[in-house]
């Protein structure tokens, strides 16, 4: 189960709340879904990811029991706000994404599930632990952060499931983003913030740019042409 200490990514996910979803659906971090001003409280007590798809809204979050134990759940709320559907999970859901006409969820342990009818079934897609999918068009590109522990030797990385490349990228708090057809990542090298631009085709480094301080909008970074 994902530890709460890792939920530094929540800030990035929640920066756009309240989020307009399907039709007039929006959601709050406490598990409330709102349609045309009418709230519907789900059983979730915290939400950390969402996706508008399949004529409704998917939520990933936790139900917290009387002993303070978090129980990860996937919840679907239809646009007509009929009774929500719940699917208990053994690991927290990092993210939902769409790919090749299907709705997927990817768990903290890297397992990907695909929605088939009323079920979430295991898919052949295999990610590294703690993935964030950053590109889902003609390929799947995902990134995994370096763990927060200072003494770890594990590095962050970005990788392509379809083309097979993988590149070490020592990022932590701000997930890499696709900007105008290339991948931009924010890393810290010897106390210096550095933006890196990489190819989506093969993961090679295209350009780098030093930064005085980190930025939230990676696509606002400008790289000098080689």
């Amino acid at each position: 189960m994902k530890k709460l200490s890792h939920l530094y990514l929540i800030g990035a996910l929640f920066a756009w709340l309240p989020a307009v979803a399907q039709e007039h659906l929006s959601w709050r971090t406490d598990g409330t879904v709102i349609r045309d001003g009418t709230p519907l409280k789900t059983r979730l007590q915290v939400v950390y990811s969402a996706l508008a798809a399949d004529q409704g809204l998917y939520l990933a979050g936790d139900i917290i029991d009387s002993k303070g134990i978090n129980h990860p759940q996937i919840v679907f709320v239809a646009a007509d706000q009929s009774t929500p559907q719940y699917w208990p999970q053994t690991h927290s859901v990092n993210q939902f994404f769409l790919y090749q006409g299907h709705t997927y969820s990817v768990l903290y342990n890297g397992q990907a599930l695909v929605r088939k009818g009323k079920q979430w079934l295991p898919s052949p897609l295999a990610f590294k632990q703690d993935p964030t999918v950053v590109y889902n068009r003609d390929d799947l590109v995902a990134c995994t952060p370096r763990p927060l522990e200072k003494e770890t030797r594990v590095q962050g990385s970005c990788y392509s499931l379809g083309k097979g490349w993988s590149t070490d990228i020592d990022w932590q708090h701000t997930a890499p983003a696709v900007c105008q057809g290339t991948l931009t990542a924010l890393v810290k090298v010897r106390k210096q913030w550095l933006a890196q631009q990489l190819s989506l085709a093969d993961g090679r480094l295209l350009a780098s740019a030093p930064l005085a301080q980190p930025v939230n909008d990676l696509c606002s970074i400008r790289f000098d042409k080689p």
Side-chain angles (χ1 to χ4, degrees):
M1 182 181 299
K2 177 187 288 187
K3 297 180 180 178
L4 290 179
S5 61
H6 175 70
L7 296 184
Y8 59 82
L9 289 176
I10 287 181
L13 291 170
F14 292 167
W16 43 278
L17 283 175
V20 176
Q22 198 88 19
E23 299 290 334
H24 302 290
L25 287 177
S26 61
W27 59 282
R28 296 175 181 166
T29 59
D30 65 355
T32 300
V33 175
I34 301 172
R35 183 177 187 274
D36 293 329
T38 302
L40 169 67
K41 187 68 177 76
T42 68
R43 302 200 319 256
L44 297 177
Q45 287 146 292
V46 59
V47 174
Y48 37 76
S49 187
L51 174 71
D54 303 329
Q55 299 182 337
L57 183 65
Y58 290 99
L59 301 174
D62 292 335
I63 295 174
I64 305 173
D65 66 21
S66 59
K67 297 181 180 179
I69 298 174
N70 291 32
H71 299 275
Q73 305 278 328
I74 293 176
V75 180
F76 179 72
V77 179
D80 61 5
Q81 284 198 334
S82 55
T83 303
Q85 297 173 267
Y86 293 82
W87 293 271
Q89 302 298 312
T90 56
H91 295 271
S92 296
V93 176
N94 264 33
Q95 187 183 11
F96 298 103
F97 65 93
L98 302 175
Y99 184 59
Q100 295 183 341
H102 297 286
T103 302
Y104 289 84
S105 61
V106 60
L107 308 184
Y108 176 74
N109 67 350
Q111 180 184 13
L113 307 176
V114 60
R115 177 77 190 271
K116 295 285 189 179
K118 295 183 179 181
Q119 296 181 317
W120 288 94
L121 301 177
S123 89
L125 301 176
F127 296 87
K128 297 179 183 180
Q129 181 173 286
D130 197 10
T132 297
V133 176
V134 297
Y135 184 77
N136 63 339
R137 294 184 182 177
D138 56 339
D139 187 13
L140 280 176
V141 175
C143 298
T144 294
R146 178 170 65 85
L148 291 176
E149 293 82 0
K150 293 183 179 180
E151 302 302 322
T152 183
R153 294 184 179 180
V154 178
Q155 288 187 302
S157 65
C158 290
Y159 52 96
S160 162
L161 270 66
K163 298 175 181 177
W165 59 261
S166 180
T167 302
D168 290 339
I169 303 177
D170 210 20
W171 68 279
Q172 275 194 328
H173 301 287
T174 302
V178 173
C179 307
Q180 297 181 346
T182 60
L183 184 64
T184 298
L186 179 66
V187 302
K188 198 171 187 180
V189 180
R190 300 186 185 91
K191 299 182 179 181
Q192 168 69 61
W193 288 104
L194 189 68
Q196 295 182 330
Q197 185 183 58
L198 298 99
S199 167
L200 284 175
D202 54 19
R204 63 188 171 88
L205 182 65
L206 300 175
S208 297
L211 300 174
Q213 58 187 10
V215 298
N216 292 324
D217 181 9
L218 297 186
C219 292
S220 67
I221 299 171
R222 295 293 177 261
F223 296 91
D224 293 334
K225 294 183 179 180

